[in-house]
Amino acid sequence: MTVSILVPSSLVREAEDKREATRKIGYVARAATVFRADRLVVFPDGEGERKWGAGFVETILKYAATPPYLRKEAFGRRDELEYAGILPPLRASSQTGLESQSSGSLRQGIVTEVGPEGRVRVNCGLQHPISLVVPSQMTVDEGERVTVRISSRRPVRAKLVDDPIPGLTVMRMDLSAALDRDDAGVTIATSRHGEPLSVERLGEVVTRTERDGMTVAFGSPGRGLPEIFGVSPEGISAVESGVPARFDLWLNTVPNQGSEVIRTEEAMFASLASLTLNIE
């Protein structure tokens, strides 16, 4: 099952300064990690952006999703990362290497040097970069992210594997393209104007998402998905073409909300906590 989360580039439109914007994005990354999302997509909402747009949001999310031991190598110094120190730690298993399999744990690495005889040096969070043989079916370049399987740390035994990079993948993508992916699964738009999610309805939804995976889209504060798509809340179900109609479900996952506005990171925790429940 693949879980994809879609957030707009206007995600931090209400933030008063860069520090607050960074903090908010950090909690979005944390929500995605807590609920084991595979992919976090930033889709364009240029009309809703203010001080910080898609480039800023994507950079902070990618930094947060990068293991701490690779951040300096991968990002260096950037203006967008001025307040990166306040980001909450994700403690994802792919960053700590604590989620082990019988054949070893998978970790992200970055190629620091391409050497002769099919060998490369890789920083994968050990005390020093290690020299590894590149499998015959792989081609890697300096600066490229790779997957390393570590079977022992003392002594070090590791190898490059041709597997997807472990952890949360962050990218920018048009909403239509994200919904058209082969692994999109059940596509869900979250909105206070959607169908109220009840206990009975939840069982039906989770049965589908457990089988097919899901893609869940969120709006931004003061600018929900209907406004982003340019449709009236009352007309969501009547739209017959275009992006709104391409969602399988429009769900209100906090039907009894006590605040006029639920922030994106709050909506993510509330929605994903329900949608990832195990239904016996």
Side-chain angles (χ1 to χ4, degrees):
M1 181 184 77
T2 299
V3 176
S4 298
I5 297 173
L6 315 182
V7 295
S9 60
S10 57
L11 174 65
V12 290
R13 66 193 307 266
E14 89 294 359
E16 296 182 358
D17 53 37
K18 188 188 292 186
R19 180 186 179 90
E20 173 62 17
T22 301
R23 183 204 61 78
K24 179 184 179 73
I25 295 171
Y27 282 107
V28 166
R30 183 149 177 82
T33 301
V34 167
F35 295 103
R36 291 181 173 271
D38 302 286
R39 187 180 301 114
L40 183 51
V41 176
V42 181
F43 66 86
D45 177 30
E47 293 183 14
E49 295 175 9
R50 290 178 179 169
K51 294 181 182 178
W52 302 281
F56 177 81
V57 173
E58 180 188 27
T59 297
I60 300 297
L61 286 174
K62 282 188 172 181
Y63 184 88
T66 297
Y69 56 82
L70 292 183
R71 288 174 176 172
K72 183 177 180 180
E73 189 93 44
F75 290 91
R77 296 181 63 86
R78 299 191 188 186
D79 290 342
E80 301 99 310
L81 301 173
E82 180 179 1
Y83 293 104
I86 70 169
L87 289 169
L90 301 189
R91 298 293 296 169
S93 57
S94 60
Q95 294 187 1
T96 62
L98 294 178
E99 188 173 86
S100 299
Q101 304 172 7
S102 58
S103 56
S105 62
L106 294 180
R107 288 169 69 87
Q108 285 191 42
I110 189 167
V111 177
T112 60
E113 181 183 347
V114 177
E117 300 178 355
R119 301 187 73 90
V120 293
R121 292 187 69 80
V122 178
N123 175 4
C124 57
L126 301 180
Q127 188 173 3
H128 303 287
I130 56 177
S131 177
L132 298 174
V133 175
V134 180
S136 58
Q137 74 274 17
M138 290 180 62
T139 301
V140 298
D141 299 313
E142 186 174 328
E144 184 175 345
R145 302 279 185 102
V146 292
T147 301
V148 180
R149 185 180 297 281
I150 299 175
S151 54
S152 171
R153 296 190 179 214
R154 294 183 181 179
V156 174
R157 294 192 180 92
K159 63 179 180 179
L160 286 181
V161 291
D162 193 13
D163 290 347
I165 303 296
L168 178 66
T169 299
V170 177
M171 63 183 69
R172 262 195 282 178
M173 186 181 294
D174 287 341
L175 193 63
S176 296
L179 296 176
D180 283 343
R181 291 184 63 98
D182 293 337
D183 60 355
V186 182
T187 54
I188 300 171
T190 60
S191 171
R192 65 184 303 176
H193 304 288
E195 172 193 355
L197 186 60
S198 64
V199 173
E200 181 179 1
R201 185 73 170 106
L202 178 62
E204 300 172 2
V205 173
V206 171
T207 297
R208 292 178 61 187
T209 59
E210 284 185 339
R211 182 187 67 226
D212 302 330
M214 62 181 170
T215 296
V216 188
F218 297 88
S220 59
R223 186 172 169 84
L225 291 178
E227 184 175 355
I228 291 174
F229 300 150
V231 297
S232 66
E234 298 77 14
I236 289 174
S237 60
V239 176
E240 297 180 356
S241 62
V243 170
R246 293 165 69 179
F247 285 103
D248 297 315
L249 301 168
W250 281 78
L251 294 179
N252 178 359
T253 55
V254 191
N256 298 311
Q257 69 185 66
S259 173
E260 291 184 6
V261 176
I262 295 179
R263 297 177 178 179
T264 307
E265 66 273 26
E266 295 170 339
M268 289 176 64
F269 277 106
S271 302
L272 297 171
S274 298
L275 296 172
T276 57
L277 285 173
N278 293 323
I279 304 298
E280 296 296 335

